[in-house]
Amino acid sequence: MHSNFTKMSRVGKAHQGLVRGLMAAMVALAVCGIASAQSNSDSFLQPVLKFKGGIGVIPVTGVAANGTVNLNIVRGVSPGAPWRIADLDATIGSDGHIRITGRGLLLASGNGIGTNAGQSVHATLFCGPAATATAHNTNLAGVALAADGDFRIDDVLSPSAPVPCDSPVLLIRNVGGVWFAAGIPKVQQ
C-alpha cells in the first residue's frame, strides 16, 4: 500500500510540474502577444499599401523620327538624370503614415556616377488614373541620402491618401521635384 501511495504521489507531482510549466508558457505567450500588439499599434492603424522593390529612373523613353526626345514623365513629374536603386520597401497606413527604407539610390551616369550627388529625397504617392491622379507628399524638405545612397522616410502624407488608393504610383523625388526612383506595388494575394 505504501508503494501505491508513493507512485501516486510521484504522478501527482509530475502533473503539478506539467501544469506549472504550461501555466508559465501561457503567461509568457500572453506577455509576448501584448508587446507585439503594442508595437504594431505604434506603426500603423492598418497597412493599406505596400511597395517592394524599386526602379531607377531612365530619363528618356525614346527619340521620335523627327529627333524629338521623349522624356520619361510620370504623373506629370519630370525625370532626373539616370539613377539606380538597389532596394525599396514602403508601407502606407490607413492614417496616411508612410515608412520607406531605400538602399543604394545612386547616380547612374556622368562624372558623379556611383555617388549620391549630395541629394535629399522625399516621397510622393499618386492615387487615381494618370491624367487625374492626386499627389500626396511627405515633407518636401526631404531626407539626405547617405554616402551609399541609403535613406529612411518616416512621415505622414499630406494630404492623407484616400482608402483605397486606385492605380497607386510611388515616386522618390529630390527637393527640386524631379523623380529618381519608383516603388513597385506589392500585390496582395
Side-chain angles (χ1 to χ4, degrees), residues 67-124:
T68 304
V69 174
N70 298 319
L71 293 178
N72 191 359
I73 297 173
V74 175
R75 301 298 196 266
V77 180
S78 295
W83 285 76
R84 56 86 69 191
I85 189 163
D87 192 28
L88 184 130
D89 196 3
T91 304
I92 302 161
S94 60
D95 60 351
H97 191 172
I98 183 169
R99 286 191 178 152
I100 303 172
T101 302
R103 289 186 36 249
L105 182 57
L106 299 169
L107 194 55
S109 68
N111 289 330
I113 193 165
T115 70
N116 68 10
Q119 295 291 312
S120 292
V121 295
H122 72 279
T124 302

Side-chain angles (χ1 to χ4, degrees), residues 30-80:
V31 168
C32 289
I34 290 169
S36 175
Q38 286 174 340
S39 70
N40 287 340
S41 69
D42 291 340
S43 59
F44 296 109
L45 292 177
Q46 176 185 356
V48 292
L49 280 174
K50 292 185 178 190
F51 292 83
K52 183 68 178 152
I55 302 165
V57 66
I58 300 171
V60 175
T61 60
V63 179
N66 66 3
T68 304
V69 174
N70 298 319
L71 293 178
N72 191 359
I73 297 173
V74 175
R75 301 298 196 266
V77 180
S78 295

Side-chain angles (χ1 to χ4, degrees), residues 93-165:
S94 60
D95 60 351
H97 191 172
I98 183 169
R99 286 191 178 152
I100 303 172
T101 302
R103 289 186 36 249
L105 182 57
L106 299 169
L107 194 55
S109 68
N111 289 330
I113 193 165
T115 70
N116 68 10
Q119 295 291 312
S120 292
V121 295
H122 72 279
T124 302
L125 173 68
F126 291 91
C127 296
T132 59
T134 57
H136 310 273
N137 291 291
T138 60
N139 185 334
L140 298 178
V143 297
L145 293 176
D148 61 1
D150 290 358
F151 66 95
R152 286 186 185 272
I153 296 173
D154 189 350
D155 205 348
V156 176
L157 293 168
S158 178
S160 189
V163 177
C165 173

Side-chain angles (χ1 to χ4, degrees), residues 8 37 51 59 102 171 176 178:
M8 288 177 63
F51 292 83
L171 296 182
V178 299

